[in-house]
Amino acid sequence: IVFSSFYQAKEKFKKELKIDGFLYSDLSVLASDIPYFPPEEEEENLEDGIHLVVCVHGLDGNSADLRLVKTFIELGLPGGKLDFLMSEKNQMDTFADFDTMTDRLLDEIIQHIQLYNLSISRISFIGHSLGNIIIRSVLTRPRFRYYLNKLHTFLSLSGPHLGTLYNNSTLVSTGLWLMQKLKKSGSLLQLTFRDNADLRKCFLYQLSQKTGLQYFKNVVLVASPQDRYVPFHSARIEMCKTALKDRHTGPVYAEMINNLLRPLVEAKDCTLIRHNVFHALPNTANALIGRAAHIAVLDSELFLEKFFLVAGLNYFK
């Protein structure tokens, strides 16, 4: 009787909303069937090792930026033998060049493993914005080679994998240019392909030629068309119409996309997943310039809970 009343109330509610779609209670299977509280604590069996999850913030961010991401993964997978490293070595200077920030993150990961004497079975990375480029750069370093066969999931939240070329927001492009000049930022120079006159010698192009992503079991690209800080096509690693029409830079852009995607497609054990996100944003200045959507993947509890419950937790099991 109770279930029947709930069902009738739900159907009535859906009619009043007048929307095409479904509610999360309609889903027959969720990413996790474990309740949001752990079972009675038992002695952990550490023979299988720890799943290390490294979270890396973006430009001008800090180690607390991805705290909600960590929280919802921990809530959804209690007893999952997860150990989170909330990277903080770059939070004092995200305007440095990518090589410098790569060194810092790599040192931080290795020191964390050694300090806590961790037996690592799997390593996953979660990056926001510019942090995703630092993660990809770490994968190419000889010192990280030992861990490549332990890579599990790379969750990229609004990552500028193709830089910020072909950004359709003049306001944001101008703002980034001014910030680069004021801060003398190496990372912003590299994201805009202005670190070398020869595009094929630019940091991002050369990074695209190096191996790394294909070692993951899951490469998950989360992007939002409402985000104007990072171009939608850059976060999804795909071609855009403007690049197709550009005879000078377009061919180089296409090469870079091919460099990134071909190894993923050819890798038998690697799955590439793209998620497009549309946020319900208020009409504010932040929403207008695209900043609201850029940070909503970090601070929107509504988005994060539903994303991980419906799909995201599957990538960390």
Side-chain angles (χ1 to χ4, degrees), residues 107 155 317:
D107 286 342
L155 174 56
K317 286 182 176 178

Side-chain angles (χ1 to χ4, degrees), residues 14-25:
K14 287 167 68 174
K15 288 178 182 177
E16 290 175 356
L17 282 179
K18 295 180 181 177
I19 59 168
D20 293 324
F22 60 88
L23 300 178
Y24 288 98
S25 58

